[in-house]
Amino acid sequence: MKHIKTINGKTLNRDVKKAGCGECQTSCQSACKTSCTVANQKCEKK
Amino acid sequence: MIHAYRMHGTNLVLDVSSGAVHVFDDAAFRVLECFGQDGRLDEKKFSKLKEEMPEREIREALDEIRSLISEGLLFSEDPYEEFLPQWTRNTVVKALCLHIAHDCNLRCRYCFAGAGEYLGERSLMSLEVGKKAIDFLIENSGNRRNLEVDFFGGEPLMNFDVVKGIVGYARSREQDSGKRFRFTITTNILLLNKDKRDFINEHMDNVVLSIDGRREVNDAMRQRLDGTGCYDRILPLAKAMVEERGHQNYYVRGTFTRDNLDFGEDVLHLADLGFEQISVEPVVASAESGLDIREEDIPRACAEYERLAKIYAERRADGRWFNFFHFMLDLEGGPCIAKRLRGCGSGTEYLAVTPEGDLYPCHQFAGQPEFLLGSVFTGFSGNPVREEFYCSNVYEKPECRECWAKYYCSGGCAANAWKFNQDIKKTYRIGCELEKKRIECALWIKAQESR
């Protein structure tokens, strides 16, 4: 494309049916104990 | 829904439901501004634009936008709500925050835990309570294999023999229970001698070291009982800890208040000291403290995040790499959508345990009677408030439902919502505004790093 550069594709809605295994780390157990930051957590399956 | 914004000369567009992120040139950005959130072209705006821009440029940009729409990369629908019931079924406890000591050897001026006491007496967790907490976690974790235990306080190093005992007990139960424990500890560093560092390095998956940044900033807040600052004492200990861990799996973590809205300087100071994993968060404090971030502080704090993002990107590109926790965003391998909808799991997957063994939805609720959920000795008490935490997700909160950032902050912090609104389904507006700015910065950094 000439006018638009896509730097990330459809990443949220893939594997919807496999989502929610729950093995990932709890966000407040990492480096934030007062502000919720979830999107920087890792997926345990990846 | 989309979120389109301009930062440091870059036009960024987030397609909220798909997670797609695009960089638009100015022409395409102007054409996009003619679209409503429903993905339809506003003919009136479009006609006006045609008078201002060359037709060929408009046509090209429009074709590209329509191509993204047809591929589900722009104005995509939210398909997730129907899946919520399957993701909330079988929720089990997987993480405990153990309040090893309701006591502290610092008197940080912004402490939400009331100098370690929370709302109760000074007390230390016994090994008996700690073991019971481990048993409780195993018994309430269903088929979940990975379990987490954070040693928290007050100051956990004031009761470190119990920390060691709990780690030993949990490890001894891994085989028979089929679980794997991951330990973390959050410390103010004061008592972090070589023996403790060695134990932590051997057994803990992560260590969070509290230091606020510049000496004068740290020492204005993080003070001993006699009012003296702790910077000179803790800095060499923190450096030793990080060095001995091989610079892996740690965070230096600070808090900023309205007294240092130039907190970017504290982040950079920590980076200049050689720390590569840095987290500096806004304080959560009441207005009486005089330290709380207020409505009128939002523009300055947001501008500071933007300034920091620019320097951060420059440093990462020129060999002075460091990681700022609140700009971290793994667009490819981040958490699944189920986690993004439900957030931190407080009160359901994640609980705090007081020194007496009482259970609360998270460390910030500890000591508030209406949030007492039970005890590690007797299990859940049936307090109906727990149901509210089960039902907590971005669709249950009106402000979140309409917000572009909902899949990144996941509905925000329930404790903050309660503190400021007495309702966990409302949002803490100041926290939301700062979080949205951090996400904007994180996406901008991704755009710079993808060039």
Side-chain angles (χ1 to χ4, degrees), chain B residues 20-242:
Chain B
V21 182
H22 316 281
V23 176
F24 278 48
D25 70 9
D26 288 344
F29 201 65
R30 290 187 71 189
V31 174
L32 183 70
E33 284 171 341
C34 297
F35 282 79
Q37 278 292 357
D38 58 1
R40 290 188 185 160
L41 195 61
D42 181 325
E43 292 297 342
K44 204 171 160 189
K45 282 187 186 170
F46 191 58
S47 299
K48 190 163 180 294
L49 187 68
K50 281 198 273 193
E51 293 167 13
E52 298 167 5
M53 269 176 67
E55 192 181 338
R56 187 178 56 83
E57 216 170 22
I58 291 178
R59 189 56 53 198
E60 284 172 357
L62 195 58
D63 285 348
E64 292 184 19
I65 288 169
R66 285 188 166 144
S67 168
L68 292 180
I69 294 172
S70 68
E71 291 172 45
L73 292 162
L74 209 56
F75 301 110
S76 64
E77 295 290 324
D78 180 338
Y80 309 122
E81 196 166 1
E82 64 174 293
F83 292 96
L84 255 181
Q86 83 182 48
W87 291 332
T88 46
R89 214 169 36 218
N90 304 325
T91 300
V92 294
V93 182
K94 67 177 188 181
L96 292 181
C97 177
L98 299 186
H99 292 216
I100 291 298
H102 272 189
D103 196 0
C104 192
N105 43 6
L106 286 182
R107 293 292 180 270
C108 302
R109 288 174 52 206
Y110 47 56
C111 185
F112 69 82
E117 294 172 54
Y118 289 79
L119 299 172
E121 301 283 314
R122 295 192 179 279
S123 54
L124 302 178
M125 182 177 283
S126 67
L127 183 55
E128 185 202 3
V129 169
K131 285 180 173 177
K132 267 295 190 194
I134 296 298
D135 293 339
F136 172 86
L137 180 53
I138 291 170
E139 285 160 19
N140 287 277
S141 58
N143 295 326
R144 199 63 44 87
R145 178 155 190 266
N146 295 310
L147 304 180
E148 299 153 41
V149 174
D150 186 36
F151 297 106
F152 199 64
E155 173 48 41
L157 298 191
M158 293 176 78
N159 192 17
F160 200 64
D161 284 342
V162 168
V163 171
K164 287 179 172 175
I166 293 170
V167 169
Y169 179 70
R171 289 276 182 248
S172 76
R173 294 229 41 206
E174 282 186 326
Q175 202 168 4
D176 77 83
S177 63
K179 306 292 184 184
R180 182 173 63 171
F181 283 93
R182 290 173 176 167
F183 298 106
T184 61
I185 190 164
T186 302
T187 174
N188 67 23
I189 317 174
L190 272 183
L191 300 175
L192 195 58
N193 62 23
K194 183 73 167 72
D195 285 349
K196 293 188 179 81
R197 297 201 300 270
D198 287 347
F199 184 86
I200 290 168
N201 284 338
E202 188 177 345
H203 296 283
M204 307 275 176
D205 290 85
N206 191 28
V207 56
V208 180
L209 305 165
S210 297
I211 179 170
D212 282 350
R214 292 165 291 180
R215 177 189 278 110
E216 63 273 22
V217 169
N218 183 86
D219 286 355
M221 293 294 144
R222 304 188 66 79
Q223 300 172 346
R224 296 183 184 86
L225 276 62
D226 64 4
T228 57
C230 64
Y231 180 94
D232 289 331
R233 161 81 183 163
I234 64 175
L235 181 59
L237 297 176
K239 281 185 168 178
M241 177 95 231
V242 170

Side-chain angles (χ1 to χ4, degrees), chain A residues 1-44 46, chain B residues 18-23 25 60 64 71 73 80 87 94-96 144-146 148 150 182 208 251 279 281 325-326 328 331-336 339-340 344 350 363-364 408 410 416 450:
Chain A
M1 286 191 184
K2 183 177 167 188
H3 297 277
I4 302 171
K5 180 185 175 191
T6 297
I7 61 169
N8 190 59
K10 291 185 273 188
T11 46
L12 293 191
N13 53 13
R14 67 184 178 199
D15 300 334
V16 167
K17 287 181 181 163
K18 293 181 191 165
C21 81
E23 293 289 350
C24 53
Q25 189 184 29
T26 308
S27 50
C28 244
Q29 299 287 60
S30 47
C32 68
K33 282 284 187 186
T34 59
S35 66
C36 201
T37 306
V38 172
N40 59 10
Q41 305 295 313
K42 285 182 197 158
C43 171
E44 199 66 33
K46 289 172 188 157
Chain B
S18 72
V21 182
H22 316 281
V23 176
D25 70 9
E60 284 172 357
E64 292 184 19
E71 291 172 45
L73 292 162
Y80 309 122
W87 291 332
K94 67 177 188 181
L96 292 181
R144 199 63 44 87
R145 178 155 190 266
N146 295 310
E148 299 153 41
D150 186 36
R182 290 173 176 167
V208 180
Y251 275 97
S279 167
E281 299 185 86
F325 181 81
H326 294 279
M328 272 168 75
L331 292 174
E332 267 296 308
C336 66
K339 186 179 179 89
R340 289 170 187 263
C344 69
Y350 172 65
H363 51 287
Q364 292 205 60
Y408 298 84
S410 304
N416 290 354
S450 72

